[in-house]
Amino acid sequence: QVQLVESGGGLVQAGGSLNLSCTVSGSSLRFNPAGWYRLLPGKQRRELVASVSSGGTTYADSVKGRFTISRDIFKETVTLQMNSLKPENTAVYYCHLDVPRRDYWGPGTQVAVSS
């Protein structure tokens, strides 16, 4: 059974930093792409923030240079270091694992950035 558990969300002032972590069990990051998505307030669809795979990393334009995604294939963790946070980064952040024929999601962690 595949499970994703996020941690590290919280409330931070604008300009601050947070580190989100996702622990994967029941599957392997070595062979499957993973990433972070977010659901912004008032929106109905999650949007991609960053992803990581054996081929490299990708980022949404709005977070390039401020967010860094990384993975540890031995600890089965995916982290998102978020720096220079802005109020518009307030959202629920979800860890995602892309397994052939199936997507897995964590329950989400709230990030709130005050101005």
Side-chain angles (χ1 to χ4, degrees):
Q1 181 179 0
V2 179
Q3 288 188 323
L4 283 66
V5 178
E6 303 108 336
S7 63
L11 174 64
V12 65
Q13 288 187 331
S17 299
L18 283 174
N19 185 279
L20 304 183
S21 182
C22 173
T23 300
V24 178
S25 60
S27 187
S28 174
L29 288 172
R30 184 188 299 271
F31 306 111
N32 302 302
W36 288 91
Y37 285 69
R38 63 189 175 191
L39 182 62
L40 296 169
K43 300 293 186 180
Q44 293 187 335
R45 290 189 64 181
R46 287 175 279 211
E47 62 179 28
L48 176 67
V49 177
S51 65
V52 60
S53 69
S54 58
T57 57
T58 59
Y59 294 92
D61 288 342
S62 62
V63 306
K64 285 180 180 177
R66 297 188 298 119
F67 290 12
T68 303
I69 189 170
S70 61
R71 67 176 186 172
D72 187 325
I73 61 174
F74 301 103
K75 294 182 179 179
E76 298 291 0
T77 57
V78 184
T79 61
L80 184 68
Q81 176 65 39
M82 306 187 294
N83 298 327
S84 302
L85 282 161
K86 305 175 181 179
E88 53 262 42
N89 298 140
T90 294
V92 179
Y93 284 72
Y94 297 88
C95 183
H96 173 256
L97 184 67
D98 186 5
V99 175
R101 296 183 298 279
R102 177 77 189 264
D103 287 329
Y104 291 93
W105 297 90
T109 184
Q110 176 71 53
V111 170
V113 184
S114 63
S115 57

